[in-house]
């Protein structure tokens, strides 16, 4: 058996736990909206057509914020098509996913759903085929109290009160040639800055997210961020990161260690932003909005060829290994809480999602649901810097990486300390020791693990609880927490004062 140790202290604080770390993403793509969160004919739907079983799972998942309506979809979206009487809403082509959009569900329905689910809205505007005027119009509709043309339309259609959306994405992935309205960094940076300045004229204290690179492998990565921020630095608050991970050519060891790539990605974007700030002699710090991240088997994705409404797209079925990777990516996001202000797992339902549903049928938790839900529930207070003493193993993509990765949180008020830890080794267990003396006399309050002898095990409609968190044996004795981490496992231990 391998051995590893963690060192932590309540004095070694990274930053407060940011509740927006536990965001998600609803795009008009596949069945995320239609038969996902919204299905009027479903036996469990409420009077608004929202699926009650999905809503219950969203609350259990602990989602705090949801980005909407895209994604690639937003770069061709006309927001006004999705408001007003449904009988009058036009049916449109969605070029991003080669689908038909009925517009039965739009901004008012989403705002009502978000209020029902208890989540904050993160709204993305179309800077692909549209621009400043469209952004101001949708802002007026969503946020202006009343007395203007579009705010009065909202009051007539749906809500007397404005929706109060604070967080706005200035487009989506506009560095990508696949994006409708793809732009150069200079073109986008100018447009983002102009849109940001206009939105701030309408409402000065909005939070605005500029598009970073679509992924760190883009040929313009780094230069894109630098150019965009030089043009928009004083006008925006955050810059986005997007990343999806999968095993490549059967290299599972690298897949299990892909949080190494997320760490480097965040560090690189932060360094670039800070370099721009230094050149501009600005005291302002730009934060990261990691508003798309997940596991996605992109190599198996086949773009749709027809024009169907709500086709089944990238409905990946996740196994135990995927769940461990998702847990590790959450560890990476938490340990960067000093600079990562927002994070959105993509997406919420059916489309590469922790929740699956069937039309007219059940909804269930995928394996990746569990590390997200437990992290969202237990991470409180402040993120602690963790020293990791671990053996390493070689990977094809990242070289030698620690077998064990971890982060911790500490809530001074309750006395709770929570350790989140993964064992990336595929065959070896790890005996883990964590000295607890810095926290006084403590005891294990709860401990859970996600693992299985069959790392390919999945949850399905027929077996929705094949993979669930199981109690983990963990004890505090002689001033140390001790537990044994199974191969390919994600584990969380909460200890508190005696």
């Amino acid at each position: 058996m391998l051995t590893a140790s963690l060192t932590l202290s309540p004095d070694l604080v990274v930053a407060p736990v940011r509740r927006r770390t536990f965001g998600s993403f609803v795009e008009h793509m596949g069945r995320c909206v239609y038969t996902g969160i919204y299905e009027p004919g479903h036996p469990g739907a409420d009077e608004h057509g929202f699926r009650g079983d999905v809503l219950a799972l969203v609350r259990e998942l602990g989602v705090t914020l949801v980005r909407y309506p895209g994604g690639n979809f937003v770069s061709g979206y006309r927001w006004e098509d999705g408001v007003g009487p449904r009988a009058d809403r036009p049916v449109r082509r969605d070029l991003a996913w080669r689908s038909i959009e009925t517009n039965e569900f739009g901004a008012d329905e989403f705002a009502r759903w978000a209020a029902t689910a208890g989540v904050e809205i993160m709204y993305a505007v179309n800077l692909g085929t549209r621009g400043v005027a469209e952004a101001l119009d949708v802002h007026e509709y969503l946020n202006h109290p009343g007395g203007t043309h579009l705010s009065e339309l909202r009051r007539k259609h749906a809500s007397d009160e404005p929706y109060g959306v604070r967080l706005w994405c200035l487009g989506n992935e506009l560095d990508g040639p696949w994006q409708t309205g793809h732009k150069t960094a200079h073109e986008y940076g100018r447009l983002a800055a102009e849109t940001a300045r206009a939105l701030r004229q309408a409402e000065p204290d909005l939070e605005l997210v500029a598009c970073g690179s679509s992924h760190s492998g883009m040929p313009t990565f780094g230069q894109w961020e630098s150019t965009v921020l030089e043009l928009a630095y004083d006008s925006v608050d955050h810059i986005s990161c997007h990343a999806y991970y999968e095993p490549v050519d059967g290299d599972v060891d690298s897949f299990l260690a892909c949080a190494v790539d997320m760490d480097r990605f965040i560090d690189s974007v932060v360094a670039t932003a800070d370099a721009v700030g230094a050149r501009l002699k600005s005291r302002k710090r730009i934060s990261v909005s990691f508003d798309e991240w997940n596991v996605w088997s992109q190599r198996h994705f086949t773009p749709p060829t027809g024009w169907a409404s709500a086709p089944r797209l990238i409905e990946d079925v996740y196994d135990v290994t995927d769940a461990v990777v998702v847990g590790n990516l959450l560890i990476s996001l938490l340990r960067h809480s000093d600079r990562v202000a927002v994070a959105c797992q993509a997406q919420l339902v059916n489309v590469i999602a922790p929740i699956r549903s069937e039309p007219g049928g059940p909804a269930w938790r995928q394996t990746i649901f569990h590390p997200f839900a437990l992290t969202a529930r237990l991470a409180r207070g402040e993120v602690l810097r963790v020293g990791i003493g671990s053996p390493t193993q070689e990977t094809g993509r990242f070289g030698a990486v620690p077998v064990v990765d971890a982060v911790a949180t500490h809530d001074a008020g309750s006395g709770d300390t929570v350790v989140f830890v993964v064992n990336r080794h595929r065959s070896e267990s790890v005996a883990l020791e964590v000295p607890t003396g810095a926290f006084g006399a403590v005891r294990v309050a709860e401990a859970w693990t996600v693992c299985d002898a069959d790392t390919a095990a999945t949850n399905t409609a027929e077996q929705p609880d094949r993979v669930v968190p199981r109690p983990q044996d963990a004890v505090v004795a002689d001033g140390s927490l001790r537990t044994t981490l199974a191969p390919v496992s994600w584990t969380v231990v909460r200890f508190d004062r005696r």
Side-chain angles (χ1 to χ4, degrees), residues 156-351:
K156 176 183 177 181
H157 294 156
S159 175
D160 282 340
E161 297 300 317
Y163 297 126
V165 179
R166 313 306 313 157
L167 189 56
W168 295 73
C169 297
L170 303 176
N172 176 77
E173 292 187 358
L174 285 159
D175 64 323
W178 59 84
Q179 201 75 199
T180 308
H182 161 63
K183 292 171 173 53
T184 67
H186 192 270
E187 289 169 337
Y188 170 73
R190 280 284 305 273
L191 179 57
E194 290 164 1
T195 306
R197 287 192 291 268
L199 285 170
R200 292 201 190 282
Q201 284 182 284
E203 194 170 358
D205 60 349
L206 297 178
E207 286 185 66
L208 305 178
V209 183
C211 290
S213 297
S214 300
H215 57 83
S216 60
M218 292 293 290
T220 55
F221 172 60
Q223 187 58 53
W224 172 277
E225 282 77 4
S226 182
T227 300
V228 167
L229 287 176
E230 284 185 355
L231 292 164
Y233 195 93
D234 290 332
S235 302
V236 302
D237 304 286
H238 316 293
I239 189 152
S240 70
C241 293
H242 292 177
Y244 296 96
Y245 296 101
E246 65 179 321
V248 178
D249 299 327
D251 185 358
V252 178
D253 289 333
S254 292
F255 178 53
L256 283 163
C258 64
V260 170
D261 180 80
M262 179 177 270
D263 290 337
R264 293 173 181 171
F265 191 0
I266 295 169
D267 291 343
S268 296
V269 171
V270 165
T272 302
D274 287 350
V276 174
R279 287 199 298 274
L280 297 176
K281 299 178 174 58
S282 174
R283 295 182 180 181
K284 178 180 180 179
R285 285 208 317 175
I286 297 291
S287 297
V288 169
S289 175
F290 217 122
D291 46 46
E292 287 189 34
W293 69 269
N294 207 348
V295 172
W296 172 14
S297 297
Q298 298 180 65
R299 293 170 185 268
H300 304 298
F301 172 56
T302 302
T305 56
W307 294 96
S309 177
R312 290 180 182 265
L313 294 180
I314 58 173
E315 298 190 3
D316 285 18
V317 177
Y318 291 113
D319 63 18
V320 172
T321 302
D322 297 323
V324 173
V325 170
V326 163
N328 200 172
L329 295 174
L330 285 162
I331 287 171
S332 176
L333 291 168
L334 278 172
R335 73 165 146 251
H336 287 93
S337 292
D338 57 333
R339 298 305 291 268
V340 175
V342 182
C344 302
Q345 189 186 43
Q347 293 182 22
L348 184 58
V349 189
N350 289 325
V351 178

Side-chain angles (χ1 to χ4, degrees), residues 365 370 458-460 462-468:
R365 307 164 190 83
H370 298 298
T458 64
N459 291 341
T460 64
E462 295 73 29
Q463 288 187 296
D465 297 319
R466 168 64 182 82
V467 179
V468 296

Side-chain angles (χ1 to χ4, degrees), residues 39-167:
E39 187 180 351
H42 191 274
D46 66 13
E47 68 272 22
H48 304 297
F50 305 150
R51 284 188 58 152
D53 53 355
V54 171
L55 274 167
L57 290 175
V58 170
R59 295 187 187 105
E60 181 186 337
L61 185 60
V63 171
T64 57
L65 167 147
V66 176
R67 181 172 177 244
Y68 175 85
N72 293 356
F73 172 80
V74 78
S75 291
Y77 183 48
R78 308 179 196 190
W79 70 271
E80 61 271 27
D81 290 347
V83 301
R86 287 194 175 94
D88 297 337
R89 298 182 188 182
V91 174
R92 301 281 192 188
R93 296 176 302 176
D94 166 30
L95 301 183
W97 304 113
R98 202 170 176 82
S99 304
I100 293 297
E101 175 54 54
T102 66
N103 286 304
E104 183 179 349
F105 188 98
D108 291 312
E109 287 78 21
F110 181 73
R112 185 179 292 117
W113 179 89
T116 304
V119 301
E120 181 184 1
I121 296 171
M122 180 183 196
Y123 195 88
V125 298
N126 178 356
L127 293 191
T129 56
R130 307 184 92 177
V132 178
E134 186 267 351
L136 289 174
D137 282 353
V138 70
H139 175 270
E140 180 182 327
Y141 186 89
L142 295 177
N143 276 21
H144 197 74
T148 65
H149 173 64
L150 292 172
S151 62
E152 289 300 317
L153 278 182
R154 181 202 68 245
R155 296 182 68 194
K156 176 183 177 181
H157 294 156
S159 175
D160 282 340
E161 297 300 317
Y163 297 126
V165 179
R166 313 306 313 157
L167 189 56

Side-chain angles (χ1 to χ4, degrees), residues 403-461:
V403 169
V404 167
D405 195 16
V407 75
T409 62
H410 176 65
D411 186 341
S414 68
D416 284 357
T417 303
V418 185
V419 177
F420 305 91
V421 58
V422 291
N423 176 7
R424 297 163 168 165
H425 206 288
R426 287 198 283 160
S427 59
E428 293 286 345
S429 297
V430 176
L432 180 69
E433 180 174 356
V434 186
T436 59
F439 301 90
V442 298
R443 63 182 178 181
V444 173
E446 60 181 307
W448 302 95
T449 190
V450 176
C451 64
D452 201 279
D454 178 7
T455 56
T458 64
N459 291 341
T460 64

